Amino acid sequence: MDLMHLSSPCGWINDPNGFIYFRGKYHLFYQHFPYAPQWGRMHWGHAVSDDLIRWQHVGNALFPSKFDDSDGCFSGTAVEDNDKLRLFYTGVRYTEPNPENTNCYLNEGFVSAQMEISSSDGFTFDNFGEKRTVVPAITNPEIGSAVNTRDPKVWRGKDAWFMMLGTSADNCGRLLFYKSSDLTDWDYVAFAELPNRGRMWECPDYFELDGKGVLIISPIGMEKGDNQAICMRADFDEQTCTMSISENYTYLDYGMDLYAPQTACDKDGARTLIAWARMPQPISGGRIGMFCIPREISLIDGHIFFAPHKNILAAFTKKIEFLSQANCKKAMLKASLTDGGSIDIGGFILGYNDDVLTADRSAVFPHRTHAQSRTPALGGKCNLLVFIDENLVEVFVNDGMYVLTNVVYGLADSINSNSDALSELYTLPDH
Ligand code: FRU
């Protein structure tokens, strides 16, 4: 059982997949290579939760079994239809042999098709009998790439089902839109793109908040060094499948590690996001990969906020009176910084200077690069809610206006500050 953060049960995990509240439980699948702590021929691992805090791993749901997914079941989403769980994902087939590692492709030698599998209970997946290819590999490069077209996001519109895929055309990221009346037959309708947002778009997600559309993409090859997920306003016209995408974007997270997020509605309808925290080396048990805490998304005056999910906030009820007793695992710290203020969380240092919050993990991270991250200007106030776990520190600034999430290794059990900034520290009651 994982508490607070879902992490790899063994081997490797990356993107969250098929996140859904189905028949009274949260189901969260994930990209998984069970045999070694490195990326390889992808399976979908599967975990369930009653509260978005405790996650129980229940084995592998999907594994390669058909011609079109013979070398991997890449990312995708879940929907509920007629009381059935339907998973849409990208099936991958390698086209060039890799004698040194048959689990990995060589030279982008693979093709991608969009596939579907359904389950009537959400736990049993017939990988041999129930899989179908719903969108074959693309053959027209003017529409998209035969290799890099993937990560179906499927949702119910007013009168039809829609599927959005990430792809690449002319070295530019792009979205493809398909429409279906029955989730079985899909017609390609239109594409949308923006220049200067990377050469390929992965893991697209689209949803509405109070009637206004939000698009999240994970572009490859944007300016910020490693790939980072971005979000922006977008409007989707269901009649024509056209999406107008705002030029203005913000980062999903201003730390260095979050990628490939996915959203679902929680049981009360709140739009909730979970993302993969990229890790440079294994955690305890020789496993690699974990997810951030669930975040509730809201749109306030045109800005997209990511706040900790209400279940997480409600769970941290045990107050720690003396900071000297701080245990930097499973803790929630509330603090406000004034100019020049800083907090040292077991070697992970937060500092507020010139209206910008900086996080410095050089003492608790194995690489010199990617040690520092910072928010945009904060408008004169710096109220923090920090979630601390053994390998992840998540800093929510000003009620989720910006978030800084960073992977860490070897945090010490002490919290210190150069000011009276520390206000309250909490942990989970049963921890
Ligand atoms: C994003 C991604 C997806 C793909 C999956 C493969 O991290 O590259 O685009 O489906 O990971 O594991």
Side-chain angles (χ1 to χ4, degrees), residues 14-15 31 39 42 74-75 150-151 202-203 259-260 276:
N14 54 292
D15 316 354
Q31 290 286 279
W39 191 91
M42 278 293 131
F74 274 19
S75 289
R150 56 179 175 264
D151 308 339
E202 300 188 298
C203 303
Y259 195 65
W276 168 42

Side-chain angles (χ1 to χ4, degrees), residues 401-414:
M401 175 173 246
Y402 301 113
V403 194
L404 277 176
T405 300
N406 284 286
V407 167
V408 292
Y409 295 86
L411 278 188
D413 269 341
S414 64

Side-chain angles (χ1 to χ4, degrees), residues 90-152:
T90 302
V92 163
R93 181 170 56 81
Y94 298 165
T95 50
E96 191 172 331
N98 183 350
E100 293 311 320
N101 181 354
T102 56
N103 289 296
C104 289
Y105 55 84
L106 265 188
N107 307 321
E108 295 228 311
F110 63 95
V111 286
S112 301
Q114 314 314 318
M115 303 183 64
E116 193 250 327
I117 184 170
S118 62
S119 164
S120 44
D121 62 3
F123 286 91
T124 322
F125 297 88
D126 178 356
N127 279 260
F128 302 102
E130 289 287 332
K131 282 180 179 171
R132 287 176 313 120
T133 296
V134 290
V135 177
I138 288 181
T139 48
N140 180 354
E142 293 194 352
I143 293 180
S145 156
V147 180
N148 288 316
T149 298
R150 56 179 175 264
D151 308 339

Side-chain angles (χ1 to χ4, degrees), residues 319-321 323 333-336 343 384 420-426:
K319 193 161 181 191
I320 295 169
E321 295 301 336
L323 284 174
L333 176 74
K334 279 189 191 172
S336 295
I343 310 176
L384 306 179
D420 55 3
L422 293 183
S423 38
E424 290 162 6
L425 187 70
Y426 297 86

Side-chain angles (χ1 to χ4, degrees), residues 362-413:
S362 36
V364 286
F365 194 66
H367 301 305
R368 278 185 177 277
T369 53
H370 300 159
Q372 261 127 21
S373 47
R374 56 185 52 80
T375 62
L378 295 181
K381 70 171 181 186
C382 183
N383 297 329
L384 306 179
L385 201 50
V386 187
F387 291 85
I388 310 160
D389 205 353
E390 203 171 343
N391 291 106
L392 204 62
V393 182
E394 298 171 72
V395 185
F396 293 83
V397 188
N398 295 342
D399 301 316
M401 175 173 246
Y402 301 113
V403 194
L404 277 176
T405 300
N406 284 286
V407 167
V408 292
Y409 295 86
L411 278 188
D413 269 341

